[in-house]
Amino acid sequence: MVNFLAKLFIKDYKNVENEKVRENYGTLSGVFGIITNLILVVIKVIIGLLSASISIIADAINNLSDMGSSLLTIIGFKISSKPADKDHPYGHQRVEYIISLIIAMIIAFVGLELLTTSIDKIINPDIIKVEVITFIILGVAIVLKGLQGLFYLSASKKIDSLSLKASAKDSINDCISTSAVLIGTIISKTTGYNVDGIVGILVSGFIIYSAIMLIKETMSPLIGEKPDPELIEKVTRTVLSYPKVLGIHDVITHLYGPSKVFISLHVEIDAKDDILVSHDLIDNIEQEVKRDFGIELVIHMDPVETDNEELNKGSKVVREVLKEIDPIIMFHDFRMVKGETHTNFIFDVLVPFQYKYSDEELVELIKKEVSKRDEKYRCVILVDKDYVS
């Protein structure tokens, strides 16, 4: 359905990396959500009033809030597609995350309101009038919400949108909550026992839980989350494809939206190579990554000695020590300063966050184990964190 509507209403619909195309996908999804939710609100309010069912009316109110969410989605995509300016040189794509957070908070508020109303319904129950049309309408609502969720999910995958992904989850959750209302209505019809308030509490609990999960998921990119491993793999594979690149390290990403990515990394180059040739190589790599992935890449060049036997011997010692301590530990920027009484090994070690050793403990352990190989060996170590894996 997304492809069909995109062909009709979105020019150049396949170019999903384009910010204007992303905005149009967001607008299309928002309009689709407003129309489908409006249909659901009307039919649920009518059935809820006719049957005096608080859970059906509450479910209609939930759909009304979904209409507001769809409107916010349109506004969010409109703002996030604005180009960079002097006050926001990295663009406005993070607005999409903010809109997602607002939608999640609205969902939480609706859930709390439904919880209060449902508790009151248990204390002061009403007689529910159930007709066959009630079951039909609720069944139609479940199917329509399911289609809506699939539409959002498909669109979110096309443009890598967190806000549309959140809307998809909300729609699928609505399917489940409306199904609960339908089951409760069937129980009331067949047993004569009013479970309307109980079902309302269950539905509200589900809505609140979903809102908390959405808030958590939306806050993650705002705080600063780990980058997509597939994206990092593509970029590093491209950089390493150049024959004169000996290795890379210190890869750091900065995400300013779904398609606004900045990456910095260090590239190891043979120290014997001409500096101007190496600089030209770095420029070519940066331009290729920007052209192929739309990523702003900044490379720091590290010259590496490849034919120094003493340096290679010291590097081998450190490599063996780190492998014995923990194979996960990597090292780079290895240098050696030889003196009359001792030799300094200067290098960085790369360790994961929340590692079993503190930085200080790890440094002392490495120094101790290296000195066991030769008492003249001393280590000057800088601990780096792994920001991408």
Side-chain angles (χ1 to χ4, degrees):
M1 184 184 293
V2 173
N3 285 334
F4 174 73
L5 293 177
K7 289 178 183 178
L8 291 178
F9 298 107
I10 300 177
K11 183 180 179 181
D12 197 17
Y13 70 97
K14 291 184 178 180
N15 186 17
V16 294
E17 299 298 328
N18 183 279
E19 291 192 7
K20 185 63 179 178
V21 173
R22 290 190 83 259
E23 177 193 349
N24 289 336
Y25 267 99
T27 301
L28 178 64
S29 300
V31 171
F32 181 82
I34 289 174
I35 294 173
T36 52
N37 281 312
L38 180 60
I39 295 171
L40 290 171
V41 168
V42 172
I43 61 178
K44 286 183 181 179
V45 167
I46 293 173
I47 297 302
L49 292 175
L50 291 176
S51 62
S53 171
I54 186 64
S55 59
I56 294 177
I57 293 175
D59 211 31
I61 294 173
N62 184 34
N63 292 141
L64 187 63
S65 71
D66 290 342
M67 284 181 60
S69 299
S70 297
L71 181 60
L72 283 175
T73 297
I74 295 173
I75 296 172
F77 273 97
K78 187 70 176 177
I79 297 174
S80 65
S81 65
K82 289 175 60 179
D85 54 43
K86 65 177 182 179
D87 294 322
H88 307 93
Y90 301 107
H92 300 79
Q93 287 192 10
R94 280 185 176 175
V95 171
E96 187 178 333
Y97 302 144
I98 297 173
I99 293 298
S100 301
L101 182 60
I102 294 173
I103 291 172
M105 294 176 73
I106 291 173
I107 294 170
F109 176 77
V110 170
L112 290 171
E113 284 293 306
L114 174 56
L115 178 62
T116 303
T117 307
S118 299
I119 292 173
D120 181 68
K121 193 70 173 179
I122 293 175
I123 298 172
N124 304 296
D126 290 330
I127 298 174
I128 297 180
K129 304 170 186 177
V130 182
E131 304 292 341
V132 175
I133 188 65
T134 304
F135 301 117
I136 296 174
I137 294 301
L138 289 177
V140 170
I142 292 170
V143 172
L144 197 55
K145 266 296 179 180
L147 291 174
Q148 188 184 93
L150 292 174
F151 186 95
Y152 287 147
L153 188 61
S154 178
S156 71
K157 289 180 179 179
K158 281 187 174 295
I159 63 173
D160 189 23
S161 169
L162 181 59
S163 62
L164 289 182
K165 183 180 178 182
S167 295
K169 287 186 176 181
D170 186 34
S171 296
I172 293 170
N173 289 342
D174 285 344
C175 267
I176 297 172
S177 62
T178 304
S179 297
V181 171
L182 178 58
I183 293 170
T185 305
I186 293 172
I187 292 173
S188 298
K189 176 69 173 178
T190 55
T191 66
Y193 184 73
N194 190 342
V195 296
D196 193 38
I198 297 173
V199 172
I201 289 178
L202 293 175
V203 172
S204 67
F206 191 80
I207 292 172
I208 293 170
Y209 172 79
S210 299
I212 292 172
M213 292 299 100
L214 288 175
I215 289 172
K216 181 180 178 181
E217 186 173 1
T218 304
M219 287 292 289
S220 184
L222 287 173
I223 295 171
E225 63 183 356
K226 183 178 69 174
D228 178 13
E230 185 178 344
L231 175 65
I232 297 301
E233 182 184 353
K234 288 179 180 178
V235 173
T236 55
R237 193 188 308 128
T238 298
V239 177
L240 290 171
S241 67
Y242 284 78
K244 287 186 175 294
V245 173
L246 303 179
I248 61 174
H249 57 268
D250 286 345
V251 181
I252 299 177
T253 62
H254 307 275
L255 307 177
Y256 293 93
S259 61
K260 188 71 69 174
V261 182
F262 292 76
I263 296 179
S264 63
L265 55 84
H266 290 210
V267 166
E268 296 173 353
I269 302 293
D270 194 322
K272 299 191 302 296
D273 289 349
D274 185 280
I275 187 68
L276 294 178
V277 174
S278 296
H279 187 272
D280 184 65
L281 170 70
I282 297 301
D283 282 345
N284 290 336
I285 296 173
E286 290 174 339
Q287 290 170 15
E288 180 181 348
V289 170
K290 184 173 183 178
R291 182 186 68 246
D292 293 349
F293 305 108
I295 293 173
E296 297 287 346
L297 177 63
V298 178
I299 296 178
H300 173 80
M301 183 173 62
D302 281 338
V304 177
E305 292 186 75
T306 59
D307 56 358
N308 186 323
E309 291 187 7
E310 283 196 83
L311 187 73
N312 292 336
K313 179 182 176 182
S315 176
K316 182 180 179 182
V317 169
V318 172
R319 185 178 296 105
E320 290 174 349
V321 167
L322 295 182
K323 186 177 181 180
E324 289 179 5
I325 294 174
D326 191 338
I328 199 174
I329 303 173
M330 307 296 289
F331 75 107
H332 55 82
D333 282 345
F334 186 84
R335 289 156 288 162
M336 184 178 70
V337 180
K338 190 174 182 180
E340 292 185 3
T341 60
H342 64 276
T343 298
N344 280 337
F345 294 155
I346 306 168
F347 57 93
D348 298 356
V349 291
L350 185 66
V351 297
F353 288 95
Q354 298 175 322
Y355 191 54
K356 59 184 177 181
Y357 298 118
S358 68
D359 292 352
E360 294 78 12
E361 290 172 339
L362 180 60
V363 167
E364 289 304 314
L365 179 59
I366 296 172
K367 287 181 177 180
K368 179 182 176 181
E369 293 301 319
V370 169
S371 295
K372 285 182 180 179
R373 266 65 173 181
D374 191 322
E375 61 182 13
K376 291 184 179 181
Y377 290 160
R378 311 283 175 82
C379 292
V380 180
I381 305 170
L382 177 65
V383 178
D384 280 345
K385 298 300 180 183
D386 190 349
Y387 291 96
V388 297
S389 67

